[in-house]
Amino acid sequence: MSAQIAVLGAGAWGTAIGKVIAEKGKDVLIWSFEEDTRDDINNNRLNSRYLPDVELPKTLKATSDIMEAAEGKQFLIYAVPSLFLLDTLKKSLSVNSIRDGKTIIAVITKGFLPSEQGPRMIVETMEDYLPGFFRQSLVYISGPSHAEEVSRGRITGLIAASENAKNSIRFRDLLKNPRLLVYSSLDVRGVQVAAAAKNVIAIAFGILDAFKTSGKADMFGDGTESLLLAAGLNEIQILGKALGATHPETFTSISGIGDLDVTCRSAHGRNRRFGREIIEKNIIEPYKNIDDILGHIGEIGYLPEGVAAAKYIRILAEKHKLKMPISIGLSKMLDRELEPMDFCRNLLVDWDLK
């Protein structure tokens, strides 16, 4: 198989994106860390672990050899979770087509990455590791989407953001189809902030929603959840401005309010689910703080990206002296400094929607 397109990461979202491209008649090679997932894709045309009951095209194949996956590709998409992105990137740096700058690279991972200078955005961190050819040319893809829906052809919109307009258009054309609408943007920083920060708000939304539906707190209703969404969007905009977002409309478009809304309200959302399970299952009780949760993330059974994002956003908010009561309060709660109900009650005092 002489695929010119590869996806590094065979999770739900990476598989869904690979499926979308393969259904356009293109050969796609996907890298899977787990060999059983690789074999499931190749032998059964399924990814039962991450995207069950979705039949995959014959033109989508899998490998567990990252060098094979990345070498000689025209288009390369990094799709691993933020906790594993740097390790995956480092493993692929020796690929000839990357060293020579012949590959066009996109990333669909959400979150922030740690560094000696503190939390940093994904694209700028990747640029520091990649050869100079790639500076200001990576494409960041995000939007109000769930793998479960995209893989089944539900109409969805995405943003392909890059300082290199041609690369943005190239990935837009690669991905778009009648049911997947893809738009270009130059606001790489704003789109990244929106993608990462909305997961934090979604955990808070899940907590509030669990209180509301369980009958444990009759003070919360649909209006409270809308208040949380509005206040959450304010926080995302505040952080985006501090970190160099260039277009205010980023936050009122699909990459901002659109992605925030679907992440908070959809039953597919892992961060919303995690928030609900904090109340319904006391899921964080065994852990002493955020780092302990992240160190045992495999025990949870799924990966809520908002946990790591809450840790990093708290650091960034304190560094830039930003008022972000939802994000900072959630971080304190995950660090076991606050009980969930105290976190929610504190928001009633701290919310400022001016």
Side-chain angles (χ1 to χ4, degrees):
M1 178 178 173
S2 56
Q4 292 298 302
I5 302 155
V7 179
L8 301 185
W13 192 217
T15 303
I17 288 294
K19 178 178 185 287
V20 165
I21 300 170
E23 285 175 335
K24 298 176 73 171
K26 299 181 183 296
D27 291 333
V28 179
L29 187 60
I30 190 166
W31 173 72
S32 171
F33 177 79
E34 297 99 344
E35 294 183 354
D36 59 336
T37 297
R38 174 202 64 193
D39 294 340
D40 196 21
I41 293 171
N42 289 335
N43 299 331
N44 306 316
R45 292 169 58 194
L46 295 170
N47 186 340
S48 304
R49 181 194 294 262
Y50 296 111
L51 200 61
D53 305 320
V54 174
E55 185 175 341
L56 302 175
K58 294 180 180 178
T59 48
L60 177 65
K61 301 294 184 182
T63 179
S64 289
D65 183 341
I66 195 168
M67 301 299 286
E68 177 189 3
E71 183 62 78
K73 300 302 182 290
Q74 181 182 2
F75 295 97
L76 183 63
I77 301 172
Y78 286 82
V80 295
S82 61
L83 293 175
F84 313 114
L85 179 59
L86 281 183
D87 284 342
T88 303
L89 177 65
K90 290 173 184 177
K91 290 175 182 176
S92 61
L93 288 177
S94 59
V95 168
N96 291 325
S97 50
I98 292 178
R99 288 190 310 185
D100 296 340
K102 295 179 179 179
T103 298
I104 306 170
I105 293 177
V107 57
I108 59 178
T109 302
K110 296 176 172 67
F112 296 94
L113 297 177
S115 76
E116 293 181 357
Q117 296 78 40
R120 302 183 69 202
M121 283 184 281
I122 284 171
V123 168
E124 67 177 5
T125 307
M126 291 180 67
E127 286 177 345
D128 283 349
Y129 284 90
L130 288 162
F133 311 108
F134 294 98
R135 192 162 296 279
Q136 297 181 324
S137 70
L138 300 186
V139 181
Y140 188 80
I141 299 170
S142 184
S145 53
H146 285 297
E148 296 84 353
E149 294 187 344
V150 171
S151 65
R152 290 175 170 85
R154 308 292 190 265
I155 296 173
T156 301
L158 295 175
I159 294 286
S162 180
E163 294 181 70
N164 183 317
K166 289 183 178 179
N167 284 352
S168 171
I169 292 169
R170 288 177 177 124
F171 268 101
R172 182 191 70 188
D173 293 344
L174 179 69
L175 292 170
K176 71 178 183 179
N177 65 42
R179 295 191 179 189
L180 184 61
L181 314 177
V182 186
Y183 306 91
S184 293
S185 171
L186 296 172
D187 190 4
V188 184
R189 287 176 170 264
V191 174
Q192 286 182 90
V193 170
K198 54 94 177 184
N199 286 329
V200 179
I201 308 302
I203 295 177
F205 189 96
I207 292 170
L208 193 67
D209 194 52
F211 274 134
K212 184 188 79 168
T213 57
S214 67
K216 294 180 180 179
D218 62 4
M219 68 187 77
F220 303 133
D222 293 345
T224 323
E225 292 181 339
S226 292
L227 178 61
L228 176 65
L229 282 179
L233 182 60
N234 271 9
E235 290 197 8
I236 293 170
Q237 290 175 301
I238 287 168
L239 183 63
K241 183 178 180 180
L243 297 184
T246 57
H247 293 62
E249 60 269 25
T250 293
F251 303 104
T252 55
S253 74
I254 63 173
S255 60
I257 186 60
D259 203 2
L260 174 64
D261 180 71
V262 75
T263 306
C264 288
R265 296 192 186 277
S266 174
H268 298 302
R270 293 187 300 273
N271 293 282
R272 176 182 184 270
R273 173 185 172 186
F274 183 72
R276 288 189 59 87
E277 291 185 349
I278 288 173
I279 306 305
E280 295 172 341
K281 298 182 179 180
N282 202 13
I283 196 169
I284 64 172
E285 193 277 333
Y287 311 109
K288 60 185 180 181
N289 54 33
I290 286 184
D291 290 332
D292 198 20
I293 296 171
L294 293 172
H296 297 85
I297 204 73
E299 298 172 1
I300 292 173
Y302 58 95
L303 180 58
E305 290 271 17
V307 176
K311 172 184 175 179
Y312 296 137
I313 287 175
R314 181 179 180 181
I315 296 170
L316 290 167
E318 291 172 351
K319 175 182 177 181
H320 293 279
K321 296 180 172 56
L322 307 176
K323 185 175 181 181
M324 301 182 65
I326 303 172
S327 303
I328 295 174
L330 182 73
S331 176
K332 289 181 178 179
M333 193 208 70
L334 295 175
D335 268 334
R336 311 308 299 275
E337 299 173 34
L338 282 174
E339 290 299 318
M341 180 54 77
D342 292 332
F343 161 63
C344 291
R345 285 186 177 131
N346 287 351
L347 292 180
L348 299 177
V349 176
D350 291 333
W351 270 333
D352 183 359
L353 298 180
K354 292 183 293 184

